[in-house]
Amino acid sequence: MAGQSDRDLGMTPPGADRSTDSYLPEHGNGGYRVLHYDLDLDYRVVTNRLAGKAIITAQAVQSLSRFSLDLGRLRVDEVRVDRQRADFTHRAGKLRIKPDKPVGYGATFKIEIRYAGAPVPIAGRWGDIGWDELTDGALVASQPNGAPSWFPCNDRLEKAGFLVRISAATPYTVVATGDLVSRRRGATSTTWVYERSEPTAPYLMSVQVGRYELIELAAGGVIQRAAVPPRLRTVFRHDFGRQPEIMAALEAMFGPYPFREYVVVVADDDLDDPIEAQGMAVFGRNHLDGQRTHERLVAHELAHQWFGNSLTVADWRHIWLNEGFATYAEWLWSDVSGGPLAGAHANHWYGWLAARPAAVAIADPGVDRMFDPMVYKRGALTLHALRLRVGEKAFFAMLRSWAAEHRHRTVTTSQFRNHAARFTTESLDDLFTAWLDRPELPPMS
Ligand SMILES: [Zn+2]
């Protein structure tokens, strides 16, 4: 379908609307890069209807007689490019646009898309990802491929700024990733405006709608808020009571928190796993039990703000740079908070991995193993092995400068290897090759 007619349209070379990501080849589009997304949304909770207008500011990196965006199953009503109506087709998750006249190489242009419908998650090998209805509200958890479930985007790991304006019935609290710019209450609905000025990958944008109470978690320092069902307020305050201390501990180890605020949302539904978004983490009510059973996940999600969100992998095959680091943060927090030492966690998980077939080279685990616990645990063990090799001082200096030098950018495994090499006089090639490139589990030290 796409091939023949697309070539007929002219100047864009074949394949230009394919992503460069090796694990998500069907997402992402070539020929331009997005600078900014302006999303104006109206959401009806009871009927799960979303109506939106997206204004996307992009820059052409080649002359464009046509281009495409990713968008799930919402209906597109109108597309304009630089205010002129444009022809489009929308099939199989691709919105293909043919502007009235080609966009010149290097030109900055605006794409305006009106769309509506009942948002549904993107189905795939990881289950249902993206905009999801809750019992009484909605949540968005898009890693890795759910962003097109609620807005048209270039769904690759390229970062842009965002402005999200969203209206919903007044009893509901709406939290979107970003700083709250304004909240205006109308007769029946309230409009919330959030601005995300730090460059952000589409998958890290999120909207949370529910009957939440907003709680302040920390005074001074990084603003820490929570959106929690009122009846869970007390248990939440206990289970997340040490989050400000976790924030301080991670800042001491990783450097300054990379955003202005951190918002924790507890959905009034059970969720399999908590999930990170930009400046935000989303937990299920099942992650609260009044006994801090899941405190390691509080540390894990917070650590993603440095590793995953500020530093975002340039390609999903580098996922261990997110998950190995966030897992190691769990062990580090355990260590500094009087729990088992990081080395004890390392020994435990080394044994766990040794009891399994060595099937994953974590520098490129394969798309089916992207979220495999082996990638998480072995990624953390790689960092522990590196720490044993280079020593405490060099290890933490290396981590802090890794976070600082690549703040709000994308990163790769080879960049990390080169970075770590600066902190020791001896070669780390054998260590990284054994831990990252080969499936066999190497000795710990
Ligand atoms: Zn994680």
Side-chain angles (χ1 to χ4, degrees):
M1 165 199 74
Q4 194 56 51
S5 60
D6 286 351
R7 258 191 299 272
D8 291 346
L9 287 175
M11 292 142 80
T12 308
D17 63 357
R18 265 179 243 136
S19 162
T20 51
D21 194 277
S22 54
Y23 289 4
L24 278 184
E26 66 278 19
H27 284 236
N29 309 275
Y32 65 94
R33 50 180 246 94
V34 175
L35 307 174
H36 190 265
Y37 293 89
D38 184 320
L39 307 177
D40 194 347
L41 308 172
D42 181 79
Y43 184 59
R44 305 291 157 99
V45 177
V46 177
T47 50
N48 187 39
R49 301 291 294 181
L50 184 70
K53 182 174 82 171
I55 300 174
I56 299 169
T57 307
Q59 185 172 32
V61 297
Q62 63 185 66
S63 172
L64 291 173
S65 60
R66 62 159 187 92
F67 56 89
S68 57
L69 288 155
D70 300 297
L71 180 64
R73 287 161 60 183
L74 295 157
R75 185 191 72 241
V76 177
D77 295 321
E78 186 184 76
V79 176
R80 288 177 182 264
V81 176
D82 287 336
R83 297 204 189 85
Q84 300 301 311
R85 271 178 181 265
D87 289 339
F88 65 91
T89 62
H90 182 213
R91 266 180 240 120
K94 283 288 177 195
L95 176 61
R96 296 174 197 280
I97 298 170
K98 183 176 184 297
D100 192 36
K101 50 178 190 285
V103 179
Y105 167 78
T108 299
F109 63 108
K110 280 193 197 298
I111 314 157
E112 186 178 322
I113 298 155
R114 288 178 187 276
Y115 62 104
V120 290
I122 309 275
R125 69 177 81 225
W126 301 286
D128 292 339
I129 308 288
W131 189 290
D132 220 346
E133 263 188 284
L134 295 170
T135 308
D136 189 16
L139 71 71
V140 175
S142 290
Q143 189 183 35
N145 60 343
S149 67
W150 65 286
F151 68 100
C153 57
N154 193 6
D155 191 21
R156 51 200 291 176
L157 293 159
E158 198 172 78
K159 303 189 181 200
F162 283 82
L163 186 75
V164 180
R165 196 178 297 103
I166 178 160
S167 301
T170 294
Y172 294 94
T173 297
V174 178
V175 186
T177 33
D179 299 317
L180 181 63
V181 176
S182 69
R183 172 168 58 169
R184 198 170 308 130
R185 194 174 167 150
T188 55
S189 72
T190 299
T191 301
W192 308 68
V193 182
Y194 289 89
E195 183 167 26
R196 177 91 270 159
S197 49
E198 297 88 356
T200 296
Y203 88 89
L204 288 169
M205 287 305 294
S206 181
V207 172
Q208 308 290 326
V209 183
R211 293 180 191 266
Y212 297 130
E213 177 181 333
L214 291 170
I215 295 174
E216 293 284 336
L217 263 179
V222 177
I223 300 161
Q224 297 174 59
R225 289 187 226 275
V228 179
R231 67 185 171 76
L232 298 176
R233 181 196 310 129
T234 307
V235 66
F236 173 84
R237 281 215 180 265
H238 178 266
D239 282 11
F240 281 72
R242 297 208 292 183
Q243 186 183 283
E245 287 169 63
I246 300 174
M247 176 70 84
L250 298 193
E251 284 199 298
M253 292 187 284
F254 304 152
Y257 177 76
F259 305 100
R260 266 191 296 278
E261 66 175 49
Y262 183 57
V263 182
V264 169
V265 179
V266 179
D268 203 356
D269 283 69
D270 291 348
L271 302 183
D272 289 343
D273 298 299
I275 183 102
E276 73 274 16
Q278 199 78 306
M280 179 190 281
V282 186
F283 291 76
R285 62 186 175 197
N286 52 310
H287 298 118
L288 301 180
D289 65 357
Q291 301 184 47
R292 295 186 178 148
T293 301
H294 301 286
E295 193 179 68
R296 74 172 183 90
L297 300 174
V298 179
H300 181 109
E301 297 310 320
L302 183 54
H304 273 313
Q305 301 304 323
W306 285 264
F307 308 114
N309 298 10
S310 170
L311 279 65
T312 304
V313 291
D315 184 294
W316 285 112
R317 71 175 184 276
H318 309 298
I319 185 79
W320 84 277
L321 292 173
N322 294 2
E323 299 303 346
F325 283 60
T327 302
Y328 199 53
E330 298 172 25
W331 304 355
L332 291 170
W333 167 246
S334 167
D335 194 320
V336 300
S337 64
L341 301 178
H345 288 282
N347 288 340
H348 170 77
W349 290 107
Y350 187 91
W352 181 85
L353 279 162
R356 281 166 175 70
V360 187
I362 62 166
D364 192 359
V367 64
D368 288 322
R369 290 241 157 129
M370 215 169 117
F371 298 111
D372 191 311
M374 291 176 83
V375 175
Y376 288 49
K377 307 304 183 192
R378 186 160 164 168
L381 282 167
T382 303
L383 291 174
H384 195 67
L386 180 60
R387 180 179 169 187
L388 296 180
R389 174 77 73 91
V390 302
E392 292 293 287
K393 210 170 151 222
F395 177 76
F396 286 103
M398 181 277 298
L399 275 188
R400 279 191 293 276
S401 65
W402 173 243
E405 288 172 25
H406 298 275
R407 186 178 156 95
H408 302 313
R409 301 214 170 99
T410 55
V411 289
T412 66
T413 299
S414 73
Q415 282 176 320
F416 180 71
R417 290 170 74 142
N418 292 336
H419 178 83
R422 287 167 32 200
F423 291 81
T424 173
T425 50
E426 54 176 305
S427 170
L428 297 172
D429 287 348
D430 61 317
L431 184 146
F432 284 130
T433 300
W435 280 97
L436 299 174
D437 298 337
R438 302 237 165 92
E440 304 79 42
L441 192 62
M444 191 62 231
S445 55

